[in-house]
Amino acid sequence: MSKKRTSVIAVYAIVLVLFNVLFFAVPFAKAASGWVCWGFSLLAVILGCGVSLYAFSKGEGLKSKIYGFPVFRMGAVYTIVQLVFSVVMFIVGSFVETPVVISIVVSALILGICGIGFIGADNARDIVEEQVQSVEASTRQMKYFRVSADGIADLCADSELKKQVAKFAEELKYSDPVSSDETASAEKQINEGISQLRDLVSSDPAAAKIKAAELSTMLADRNRICKAFKK
């Protein structure tokens, strides 16, 4: 068990112990409404702990953990709100008789509202993660082109060729990074051209200069397509 999971369980266990000490040690009148609140409070601590553990166990990586914070917050909010309501009912019940139905209805509403909030937060996290993954996938091709162009520039012995390849790498840097179905054909040609350029750099610098110029033209065509179909 990780330190984080142990810490979460420990915090909720401490809260549970303190709450029970408060309930049984302080001489509140143990009315039926109080016992109902006590039961809902135990449920809140258990569910809050479960939600908190779930929030940081789903997905991998730091981003997923960060996106899980709203889910964690819903578990904590539910527990806190239910405990506060229960304490209020304990105090009020010591002075006046409170109908059991109030404890049941309000506790059920707290559970329902926080449950809806948890579902919404969890679904929102899934949507955000899907969007992030989609963006990362759609920008992977252009990142590969930039890395490849920088690597080819480092291989150039001819200063003029090196400058030309570096210019192409700079153009890639400021190009739209998002690929699409419409740019797939142009990017395939660029990919092939980069492979050819890598081979020509050492074997035929003159032909490499021509290929570098062609790649700049291909990239410009790709960027025009990207702009035309921009959503």
PDB file of all heavy atoms in Angstrom, residues 92 107 114 149 152 183 207 209 221:
ATOM      1  N   VAL A  92     -29.060  20.163  18.684  1.00  0.00           N
ATOM      2  CA  VAL A  92     -30.469  20.575  18.675  1.00  0.00           C
ATOM      3  C   VAL A  92     -31.331  19.533  19.378  1.00  0.00           C
ATOM      4  O   VAL A  92     -32.244  19.855  20.144  1.00  0.00           O
ATOM      5  CB  VAL A  92     -30.952  20.808  17.230  1.00  0.00           C
ATOM      6  CG1 VAL A  92     -32.470  21.044  17.199  1.00  0.00           C
ATOM      7  CG2 VAL A  92     -30.222  21.984  16.607  1.00  0.00           C
ATOM      8  N   SER A 107     -30.105  14.043   5.323  1.00  0.00           N
ATOM      9  CA  SER A 107     -28.935  13.183   5.096  1.00  0.00           C
ATOM     10  C   SER A 107     -28.991  12.528   3.725  1.00  0.00           C
ATOM     11  O   SER A 107     -27.966  12.401   3.037  1.00  0.00           O
ATOM     12  CB  SER A 107     -28.850  12.109   6.187  1.00  0.00           C
ATOM     13  OG  SER A 107     -28.632  12.688   7.451  1.00  0.00           O
ATOM     14  N   CYS A 114     -24.168  15.082  -3.302  1.00  0.00           N
ATOM     15  CA  CYS A 114     -22.724  14.805  -3.401  1.00  0.00           C
ATOM     16  C   CYS A 114     -22.450  13.632  -4.350  1.00  0.00           C
ATOM     17  O   CYS A 114     -21.429  13.612  -5.036  1.00  0.00           O
ATOM     18  CB  CYS A 114     -22.151  14.516  -2.023  1.00  0.00           C
ATOM     19  SG  CYS A 114     -22.099  15.976  -0.953  1.00  0.00           S
ATOM     20  N   ALA A 149      14.324  16.972 -37.831  1.00  0.00           N
ATOM     21  CA  ALA A 149      14.987  18.076 -38.534  1.00  0.00           C
ATOM     22  C   ALA A 149      16.154  18.617 -37.716  1.00  0.00           C
ATOM     23  O   ALA A 149      17.230  18.921 -38.267  1.00  0.00           O
ATOM     24  CB  ALA A 149      13.980  19.185 -38.819  1.00  0.00           C
ATOM     25  N   ILE A 152      19.020  16.206 -38.086  1.00  0.00           N
ATOM     26  CA  ILE A 152      19.654  16.279 -39.406  1.00  0.00           C
ATOM     27  C   ILE A 152      20.560  17.513 -39.484  1.00  0.00           C
ATOM     28  O   ILE A 152      21.660  17.463 -40.045  1.00  0.00           O
ATOM     29  CB  ILE A 152      18.589  16.314 -40.514  1.00  0.00           C
ATOM     30  CG1 ILE A 152      17.845  14.979 -40.562  1.00  0.00           C
ATOM     31  CG2 ILE A 152      19.225  16.612 -41.871  1.00  0.00           C
ATOM     32  CD1 ILE A 152      16.652  14.968 -41.496  1.00  0.00           C
ATOM     33  N   THR A 183      -4.537  16.575 -43.410  1.00  0.00           N
ATOM     34  CA  THR A 183      -3.099  16.830 -43.570  1.00  0.00           C
ATOM     35  C   THR A 183      -2.281  15.537 -43.655  1.00  0.00           C
ATOM     36  O   THR A 183      -1.062  15.600 -43.821  1.00  0.00           O
ATOM     37  CB  THR A 183      -2.568  17.669 -42.383  1.00  0.00           C
ATOM     38  OG1 THR A 183      -2.759  16.938 -41.159  1.00  0.00           O
ATOM     39  CG2 THR A 183      -3.296  19.001 -42.299  1.00  0.00           C
ATOM     40  N   ALA A 207      22.212  17.831 -53.565  1.00  0.00           N
ATOM     41  CA  ALA A 207      20.852  17.302 -53.659  1.00  0.00           C
ATOM     42  C   ALA A 207      20.098  17.516 -52.349  1.00  0.00           C
ATOM     43  O   ALA A 207      18.876  17.720 -52.336  1.00  0.00           O
ATOM     44  CB  ALA A 207      20.894  15.810 -54.003  1.00  0.00           C
ATOM     45  N   LYS A 209      20.343  20.119 -50.410  1.00  0.00           N
ATOM     46  CA  LYS A 209      19.846  21.501 -50.407  1.00  0.00           C
ATOM     47  C   LYS A 209      18.540  21.600 -51.181  1.00  0.00           C
ATOM     48  O   LYS A 209      17.597  22.286 -50.760  1.00  0.00           O
ATOM     49  CB  LYS A 209      20.887  22.435 -51.010  1.00  0.00           C
ATOM     50  CG  LYS A 209      22.161  22.554 -50.180  1.00  0.00           C
ATOM     51  CD  LYS A 209      23.190  23.424 -50.880  1.00  0.00           C
ATOM     52  CE  LYS A 209      24.501  23.460 -50.093  1.00  0.00           C
ATOM     53  NZ  LYS A 209      25.544  24.247 -50.776  1.00  0.00           N
ATOM     54  N   ASP A 221       2.587  23.938 -47.956  1.00  0.00           N
ATOM     55  CA  ASP A 221       1.346  23.368 -48.487  1.00  0.00           C
ATOM     56  C   ASP A 221       0.543  22.711 -47.367  1.00  0.00           C
ATOM     57  O   ASP A 221      -0.681  22.861 -47.287  1.00  0.00           O
ATOM     58  CB  ASP A 221       1.656  22.334 -49.573  1.00  0.00           C
ATOM     59  CG  ASP A 221       2.218  22.960 -50.830  1.00  0.00           C
ATOM     60  OD1 ASP A 221       2.002  24.187 -51.011  1.00  0.00           O
ATOM     61  OD2 ASP A 221       2.866  22.254 -51.623  1.00  0.00           O
TER      62      ASP A 221
END
